[in-house]
Amino acid sequence: MRVGVVGAGAVGGYFGALLSRAGHPVTLLARGAHLEAIRREGLRVRPVQAGGGEWVAWPEATEQASGTGPQDLILFAVKSYDTEGAARAMAPWVGPSTTILCLQNGVENEGKLAALYGMGRVVPAVAYIGAERVAPGVIEHRARGELVVGEPEGGSSPRLEQLRQVLAEARIPVQVAEDIWAAKWEKMLFNVALNAASALTGATGARLVAAPRSRWLFEASVREALAVARAQGVPLDDGVVDRVVAAAAALPAVSSMYHDLVRGKPLELESFNGYVVREGERLGIPVPVNATLYGLMEARQASGRGS
């Protein structure tokens, strides 16, 4: 299977490297020092688990999608704020039978991809992985590494079964969800509650839910986002709040938004709390906690880097 990776950072790079190591012809879209390092030394994956040794994959790497032809599968893993630009740039890779596996956080990116290429080509997915690109051509794998995939309209399909088999043969644990939007929204609830609060305070997920007042804030932001999801028709059960809190309690790390803020990088704020605020206003659902987090993060981002 010909595989293209758009967004060859920690997530796209890790899964692309596994598919390359399994023998699939993989091409990464990359640029700058990252591109040169991959061409020169391969894409190195450095596990941090005890006993895990560094390994190297040798995918092709290019700065432009033109010239390589349509791909059978595209792993789309850019940050949400780069969706439209990256989606247009990958046009030469999209053929009549191309599947676009959307590995992004948030719940609106699939619609943006569908606007360009049709929802029939898009497979929504949820990636559960702890990884970071720590140097050009080097990905540090810290935890997990599984995918949940599903058809936009629900149920299974021949292409989903083929995709599941290809991923599983590359040693990527994969689960097929009957309702992928419920799975996408469950992770969205976690991101909404964790990212801005962690970026503002420097607290880990575990610390945020350990203290009574910050736990109240965390749970309140989850419940507001849950109300928005249900108003959209997403069937999330009442136990989702406890599951999200438990996931935070098991996280001894700060959010990715905290790291992006400190490094002066763009933030996925609009796709998390910003989305909840906009949809809350559209649907007539009060979301004061998310509006507060959103407003404070707007001001914090405008004031410069964190510390």
Side-chain angles (χ1 to χ4, degrees), residues 16 25 66 81 99 105 138 141-142 160 200 224 265:
S66 58
Y81 46 76
T99 294
N105 287 319
V138 182
H141 178 219
R142 296 170 181 167
L160 213 59
L200 286 166
E224 289 179 359
K265 293 183 176 181

Side-chain angles (χ1 to χ4, degrees), residues 25-87:
V26 174
T27 304
L28 311 179
L29 274 186
R31 56 179 180 266
H34 191 47
L35 172 64
E36 296 307 317
I38 295 169
R39 286 174 169 173
R40 185 176 60 252
E41 301 173 356
L43 183 57
R44 292 181 287 162
V45 178
R46 186 178 296 162
V48 299
Q49 299 96 330
E54 180 177 293
W55 54 273
V56 183
W58 290 93
E60 295 293 323
T62 181
E63 195 167 6
Q64 297 182 341
S66 58
T68 54
Q71 305 294 300
D72 301 308
L73 173 65
I74 296 174
L75 306 185
F76 195 79
V78 301
K79 293 283 191 176
S80 294
Y81 46 76
D82 282 335
T83 297
E84 289 93 343

